[in-house]
Amino acid sequence: MKKALSLFLALIMTFSIVVIGITELPHSHAEEVTTQSLSENNFVYNVVDGNAVIVDYTDKQSTEEIFIPETLGGYPVTKLNIRTFKGCQCIAVTIPATVTTIHVTAFAFDMPNIERFTVDENNTTYSSENGILYRGKSTRSIVAYPKNAPEESLNLEAISVNSYAFTEVKNLKNITLSYGYVNEKYTSYSIAKYAFYNATSLESVVMDESIDSIGDYAFGSCPSLVSVKIYDIVESLGWDIFADTPF
């Protein structure tokens, strides 16, 4: 009995050593899956593949314009991550030439004062015009419309309206969307999910016959929306595109 118990305890100790040896990974391997956040001049960022990815901005109460730097810690700033500027009270944002990726929620929520976006003319991925942030130059998708822009009526051409592009926009009442001819590659445009979600003053939307798809909740929670012109040739309609609206 004693021999059996001793053998059992020896097996447990051996198994414990093996488990410990497996779970304690080398430090270098752990760094591959864990990114340390750094901070510089109110920008919180991670370093990924030699590039700075901005994940937060700490001076949220400032109403001054935010100038995103080209580098942080010596690394080129290439990406603005999920909800990076949520809660910021700034009136404007300037984006450098180095940025190649902007998450659809980077400027989507709780930025009530923003009036314009400006993109460095040397940026090959993004552009701006009349304060609106676009992806592309000759072929443009609407990435973000400033929530406190003064215009009440707009007539815009694009190949797509990105998710959350007009979310929480305050002053816009009427918008006409159409396909902007750029080249033979594109013949239609789309409106992504939540594109106009909670645009509280929006009353009227006109879409031309080039529209081919509208995403989930695209016009959801627009309490003033009373008129929508849409052609019956739309190929894809998302879930509850007019949820919580009087339309």
Side-chain angles (χ1 to χ4, degrees):
M1 179 67 180
K2 291 182 179 180
K3 289 183 178 180
L5 181 59
S6 298
L7 179 61
F8 178 71
L9 292 174
L11 287 172
I12 290 177
M13 292 175 65
T14 302
F15 180 74
S16 299
I17 293 170
V18 171
V19 169
I20 292 171
I22 291 174
T23 54
E24 290 185 351
L25 299 176
H27 182 66
S28 60
H29 184 81
E31 287 181 338
E32 294 175 8
V33 296
T34 303
T35 305
Q36 181 181 5
S37 291
L38 305 171
S39 181
E40 182 179 319
N41 297 329
N42 298 315
F43 294 95
V44 180
Y45 66 99
N46 297 331
V47 177
V48 180
D49 296 330
N51 297 305
V53 177
I54 298 177
V55 297
D56 197 9
Y57 185 75
T58 58
D59 192 11
K60 297 185 185 298
Q61 297 307 311
S62 173
T63 57
E64 300 295 320
E65 181 171 2
I66 295 175
F67 293 89
I68 298 172
E70 290 191 348
T71 63
L72 285 169
Y75 300 98
V77 174
T78 59
K79 183 176 181 179
L80 310 180
N81 214 356
I82 299 171
R83 302 187 182 191
T84 301
F85 296 97
K86 180 182 178 182
C88 288
Q89 305 300 306
C90 63
I91 61 169
V93 174
T94 294
I95 299 168
T98 53
V99 172
T100 58
T101 304
I102 299 176
H103 194 273
V104 292
T105 64
F107 303 111
F109 306 110
D110 300 330
M111 298 185 70
N113 300 322
I114 189 163
E115 297 177 355
R116 67 183 181 276
F117 294 97
T118 303
V119 179
D120 189 298
E121 61 181 10
N122 294 315
N123 191 307
T124 59
T125 306
Y126 294 93
S127 63
S128 58
E129 184 177 359
N130 298 325
I132 304 172
L133 176 60
Y134 293 92
R135 181 178 176 86
K137 294 188 176 183
S138 58
T139 55
R140 301 192 304 185
S141 299
I142 302 172
V143 175
Y145 183 80
K147 304 183 189 308
N148 198 32
E151 289 79 11
E152 294 186 355
S153 297
L154 285 176
N155 191 331
L156 294 178
E157 296 181 345
I159 60 171
S160 65
V161 180
N162 286 11
S163 293
Y164 308 103
F166 290 85
T167 292
E168 298 180 3
V169 166
K170 297 195 297 183
N171 301 315
L172 183 63
K173 293 183 177 181
N174 309 292
I175 186 167
T176 297
L177 293 166
S178 58
Y179 161 71
Y181 175 81
V182 182
N183 56 41
E184 295 297 331
K185 181 179 178 181
Y186 298 96
T187 57
S188 60
Y189 69 95
S190 61
I191 298 175
K193 63 182 181 180
Y194 296 101
F196 290 85
Y197 193 82
N198 199 26
T200 54
S201 297
L202 188 63
E203 298 175 358
S204 170
V205 178
V206 176
M207 293 169 272
D208 74 2
E209 64 272 17
S210 299
I211 180 72
D212 67 355
S213 67
I214 302 175
D216 299 344
Y217 304 102
F219 298 97
S221 292
C222 293
S224 303
L225 187 62
V226 293
S227 175
V228 176
K229 181 180 179 181
I230 182 173
Y231 287 80
D232 59 8
I233 58 174
V234 176
E235 296 179 3
S236 174
L237 286 177
W239 179 262
D240 229 351
I241 61 174
F242 299 114
D244 300 319
T245 69
F247 177 73

